Amino acid sequence: MIEDIAALCGTRLGPGTLYGAIARLEKQGWIEPLAQEERRQPYRITAHGVRVLRARLDTLARFTKAGLERLDEI
């Protein structure tokens, strides 16, 4: 996950940051653990997590659109 996040965002998270985020997501019921694979613990997004993520991405899309429109006015 750390490598995927770094490639996608250009930001490298430390293990403490990542594991803290995973714990919060799991506690909120947005992700759930799958069967462990050797040393790796895979997770999947829950139906509730999909709804929350979709709502947040929709909000970000509206925010981004408004910001880009305002930049075009400059």
Side-chain angles (χ1 to χ4, degrees):
M1 278 190 188
I2 290 173
E3 297 302 321
D4 287 343
I5 292 167
L8 180 65
C9 302
T11 301
R12 183 168 294 281
L13 300 179
T17 302
L18 178 61
Y19 295 131
I22 289 171
R24 285 188 303 278
L25 293 171
E26 190 175 357
K27 183 177 180 180
Q28 292 170 311
W30 297 354
I31 63 171
E32 61 189 5
L34 299 173
Q36 192 166 347
E37 299 172 358
E38 296 182 18
R39 294 180 48 217
R40 296 178 183 258
Q41 175 62 66
Y43 292 86
R44 74 170 155 217
I45 191 167
T46 62
H48 177 61
V50 168
R51 288 190 301 274
V52 171
L53 179 58
R54 186 175 310 280
R56 291 192 176 192
L57 289 174
D58 287 344
T59 299
L60 284 172
R62 288 193 308 274
F63 183 76
T64 301
K65 182 179 182 232
L68 290 171
E69 287 171 355
R70 288 184 183 188
L71 281 177
D72 288 342
E73 295 171 2
I74 296 176

